[in-house]
Amino acid sequence: MRKQQWVAEVGSENAAFLATRSRTAVLASEYRPRDLGDGRVGYDERSLGAARELSEEEEGAITDDGDGLRVWVGDDAFDLEEQG
């Protein structure tokens, strides 16, 4: 069975930040977002769940509302697209 993954194009600086310096980046590796290169960040079910636990004020927070599933860095929201 193929794992679900969600990917957002956030820019290389934001992808590196989310993967290495956000609050979820200090968790066990299976709960961290992944820098996929080319300015993209990826989440699987576990890392997405961990990021959903962040408050809306924290970098890397996930929202899921009428605008869809998005990851936030500062005041910028980036759409997460399901890949599998």
Side-chain angles (χ1 to χ4, degrees):
M1 182 159 73
R2 190 171 170 197
K3 287 176 90 173
Q4 286 183 299
Q5 180 169 295
W6 292 264
V7 175
E9 293 191 25
V10 298
S12 57
E13 187 174 310
N14 289 335
F17 169 80
L18 291 167
T20 63
R21 297 186 312 278
S22 67
R23 193 160 76 96
T24 54
V26 300
L27 300 174
S29 63
E30 62 266 24
Y31 297 103
R32 297 179 200 157
R34 304 256 189 280
D35 184 344
L36 303 175
D38 297 324
R40 298 176 310 132
V41 65
Y43 294 83
D44 63 13
E45 291 177 9
R46 287 183 177 176
S47 58
L48 186 65
R52 284 179 186 258
E53 297 295 320
L54 298 174
S55 72
E56 290 185 13
E57 293 80 32
E58 292 182 90
E59 301 293 339
I62 302 289
T63 58
D64 188 3
D65 53 27
D67 293 321
L69 191 62
R70 303 189 301 169
V71 59
W72 290 81
V73 180
D75 292 330
D76 298 319
F78 302 93
D79 293 331
L80 281 159
E81 302 292 331
E82 190 171 353
Q83 303 290 305

